[in-house]
Amino acid sequence: MKTIIEPFRIKSVEPIYFNTPEERIVILEKAFYNPFLIHSTDVLIDLLTDSGTSAMSSNQWAGMMQGDESYAGSPSFFRFEATIQEITGMPWVIPTHQGRAAEKILFSILGGKGKCFLSNTLFDTTRANIEFSGAEGIDLICEEGKHPSVPAPFKGNMDLGALKKTILEKGPANIPLCIITVTNNSGGGQPVSMQNIKEAKKICAEHGIPLFIDACRFAENSYFIKLREEGYRNKPVPEIARELFSYADGCTMSAKKDAFANIGGFLAMHDGELARKCRNLLVITEGFPTYGGLAGRDLEAISIGLKEVMDENYLQYRIRSIEYLTNKLIEAGVPVMQPAGGHAVYLDAKKFLSHIPVEQYPGQALVGALYLHGGIRSVEIGSLMFGKYDENKNLIPSPLELVRLAIPRRVYTQSHIDYVAEVIIEVFNSREQINGLRIIEEAPMLRHFTAKLKPIQ
Ligand code: F0G
């Protein structure tokens, strides 16, 4: 088999920014050891997120010129609507400025005190929107998903036994929705199998609970199904995606991921009455229902991106490039989440920095070390992001302490990725020198975005 190459050539380039370790020490201290507080011009390779960071295609840029900026009834909206209807089979399509805006609308209507939402794993903004409404979010990830170093094909699956049990415990009347996140971002970008979605739907339907998909990375998940699940090898990805959505009553999507757009999102659903309520809220928070917080040109970029992302040459390269980095790290003995996920490599910080207790945020300490050593920006997905306090102000840690290196779509080449592997391996070989951190300032919700930290000497 020959090398799987980038399925594009480069027409326009932008600079990346070089600096020295000495300069980076000052920058990191000024940013209080929080990568969200570092300026992007101080970053060499930016793997903070795959969200909104894609390179758009020449077709998408051409489409942007066709954007019709009419306030109401723009043809750009109707193209956007038709594309999403075709992919999801859902008749009601509501544009939003990004994924969390779709979540905010949905959970403002369905949430509230006493309500409970069940998921494989809720992403942090999804959980925050649920909790902000007064409701509770419960993650029911399968057993394999809890062990980063143990490979399994579908570690994003929902624990169906736990789903049945929790529905009975909480009472179906208190559960407005079940949400399956594909791929499971907070659980390592791991895919969910078609079988699991189908069975989850059956259980939900028995209790009259609608099933929604958090569809940010639906194409990556569909490609994993093609590679790993029996019966899908010869099916085209659009057909797999269509089947995946056929088990759902609705979906939320951030178009900043698998639609190659720099901004955007949507809600889609079958229930016309719920859609009407969502649109009523949309008008006061986002905009008129045919643009919903987006420009006509954004709607065009999204419609084109949604089709491009299902190209199998692209998906093969995409999944392979994550696997390539993961395998290099495994060969060097670096503890990583296995197998490789769809959009990111996840380092197991608990094992990587086993000398740092969870109360000293080993994930965040590793994020700092990667920046200092190689100018690489990553993000902690562990106790800084998900930790809570008990009544005595002791940390209730997250089950996993991960560091995510998210790979922007169509942006970096193989030599960038080789450099990233070299930096991680060098940091791993001198890991004893890394110290833990303590928080000196934090917000009550989504604290990882703004928290200020200091090293513990
Ligand atoms: N759901 C999932 C699974 C996500 O990964 C994200 C965003 C959202 C919802 C919210 O979408 O950002 O458009 O409001 N994830 C980004 C990330 C921020 O870095 O993983 P948004």
Side-chain angles (χ1 to χ4, degrees):
M1 179 126 171
K2 293 207 170 52
T3 304
I4 295 166
I5 58 174
E6 284 87 3
F8 49 79
R9 52 186 186 176
I10 296 165
K11 178 174 279 190
S12 174
V13 296
E14 61 180 331
I16 56 176
Y17 303 94
F18 291 88
N19 51 19
T20 64
E22 292 70 37
E23 288 166 332
R24 291 196 289 266
I25 290 177
V26 179
I27 293 164
L28 191 62
E29 274 173 5
K30 261 192 169 160
F32 294 98
Y33 291 80
N34 185 337
F36 289 99
L37 305 180
I38 299 175
H39 295 193
S40 63
T41 46
D42 292 328
V43 176
L44 181 59
I45 306 275
D46 203 346
L47 307 183
L48 184 71
T49 179
D50 64 322
S51 180
T53 53
S54 300
M56 291 214 298
S57 65
S58 48
N59 255 332
Q60 282 178 296
W61 283 109
M64 287 188 79
M65 280 308 287
Q66 312 252 333
D68 179 310
E69 304 303 341
S70 306
Y71 192 95
S74 156
S76 301
F77 171 73
F78 296 115
R79 277 193 280 274
F80 171 90
E81 183 186 45
T83 305
I84 294 163
Q85 285 169 337
E86 188 187 319
I87 295 171
T88 65
M90 296 171 194
W92 303 104
V93 176
I94 299 169
T96 59
H97 81 271
Q98 63 182 87
R100 71 198 68 181
E103 292 164 2
K104 170 75 182 159
I105 289 171
L106 189 64
F107 298 120
S108 301
I109 294 165
L110 298 178
K113 218 172 151 37
K115 294 284 178 352
C116 172
F117 293 87
L118 310 182
S119 179
N120 52 344
T121 311
L122 296 163
F123 183 64
D124 59 353
T125 60
T126 323
R127 171 171 291 282
N129 272 302
I130 288 171
E131 291 176 358
F132 189 72
S133 82
E136 181 190 9
I138 301 180
D139 294 340
L140 304 168
I141 188 71
C142 65
E143 192 52 38
E144 306 92 280
K146 295 176 188 161
H147 307 281
S149 58
V150 184
F154 290 105
K155 290 172 79 168
N157 279 356
M158 191 146 186
D159 179 337
L160 297 171
L163 175 63
K164 284 184 202 159
K165 198 164 148 258
T166 315
I167 291 175
L168 295 180
E169 269 167 25
K170 296 283 171 182
N174 300 316
I175 306 173
L177 274 191
C178 173
I179 304 128
I180 295 188
T181 311
V182 303
T183 57
N184 186 23
N185 185 7
S186 313
Q190 299 292 322
V192 182
S193 72
M194 194 73 90
Q195 183 73 19
N196 193 254
I197 297 172
K198 200 167 160 178
E199 285 176 24
K201 168 66 189 174
K202 194 159 161 263
I203 295 164
C204 288
E206 279 163 13
H207 296 92
I209 301 168
L211 174 69
F212 267 53
I213 304 280
D214 177 338
C216 294
R217 301 177 180 85
F218 76 97
E220 290 167 5
N221 200 97
S222 298
Y223 192 67
F224 276 122
I225 289 174
K226 182 174 175 110
L227 293 181
R228 297 182 184 169
E229 196 163 349
E230 221 185 296
Y232 291 93
R233 185 149 287 270
N234 297 320
K235 287 215 170 112
V237 166
E239 210 176 292
I240 298 173
R242 179 77 186 219
E243 182 185 340
L244 187 155
F245 284 112
S246 76
Y247 303 118
D249 298 279
C251 67
T252 57
M253 165 123 186
S254 165
K256 300 172 75 174
K257 285 81 172 175
D258 266 354
F260 297 124
N262 302 123
I263 196 71
F266 59 84
L267 262 165
M269 62 194 74
H270 286 284
D271 181 344
E273 180 51 24
L274 179 60
R276 191 185 58 77
K277 288 184 189 160
C278 290
R279 274 198 307 270
N280 288 344
L281 253 189
L282 184 85
V283 175
I284 39 175
T285 57
E286 293 282 294
F288 189 73
T290 64
Y291 73 85
L294 293 170
R297 52 179 169 269
D298 300 323
L299 297 168
E300 294 286 355
I302 295 168
S303 335
I304 296 166
L306 282 170
K307 289 181 192 144
E308 284 180 356
V309 77
M310 291 192 282
D311 172 53
E312 293 185 17
N313 286 325
Y314 161 74
L315 284 167
Q316 182 191 38
Y317 139 82
R318 172 74 177 157
I319 300 305
R320 173 61 195 149
S321 49
I322 315 291
E323 187 186 54
Y324 174 81
L325 177 55
T326 306
N327 290 352
K328 279 198 159 205
L329 298 177
I330 293 171
E331 277 162 29
V334 178
V336 295
M337 174 75 121
Q338 291 190 49
H343 66 292
V345 174
Y346 294 71
L347 305 176
D348 182 348
K350 225 187 256 186
K351 280 201 181 144
F352 197 117
L353 297 179
S354 54
H355 62 286
I356 301 181
V358 289
E359 293 74 20
Q360 297 181 13
Y361 303 101
Q364 193 74 359
L366 182 51
V367 167
L370 296 176
Y371 177 71
L372 277 184
H373 197 82
I376 298 168
R377 178 152 70 166
S378 55
V379 69
E380 189 249 26
I381 302 205
S383 291
L384 183 65
M385 189 180 271
F386 290 119
K388 297 248 152 89
Y389 294 113
D390 67 14
E391 56 278 12
N392 302 319
K393 283 290 274 173
N394 292 318
L395 177 76
I396 309 168
S398 157
L400 299 176
E401 302 293 340
L402 302 175
V403 167
R404 185 185 78 172
L405 299 129
I407 314 294
R409 293 171 183 76
R410 308 191 290 207
V411 170
Y412 293 114
T413 64
Q414 189 168 341
S415 65
H416 292 119
I417 298 296
D418 286 334
Y419 170 84
V420 171
E422 286 162 18
V423 171
I424 296 171
I425 293 165
E426 281 170 18
V427 169
F428 184 63
N429 291 337
S430 58
R431 60 193 180 277
E432 285 82 15
Q433 294 164 18
I434 301 170
N435 291 330
L437 297 166
R438 70 186 165 84
I439 296 176
I440 56 170
E441 203 182 300
E442 61 185 302
M445 274 191 149
L446 296 177
R447 63 175 180 171
H448 57 287
F449 287 131
T450 53
K452 295 181 175 172
L453 298 101
K454 266 205 151 135
I456 298 169
Q457 294 311 337

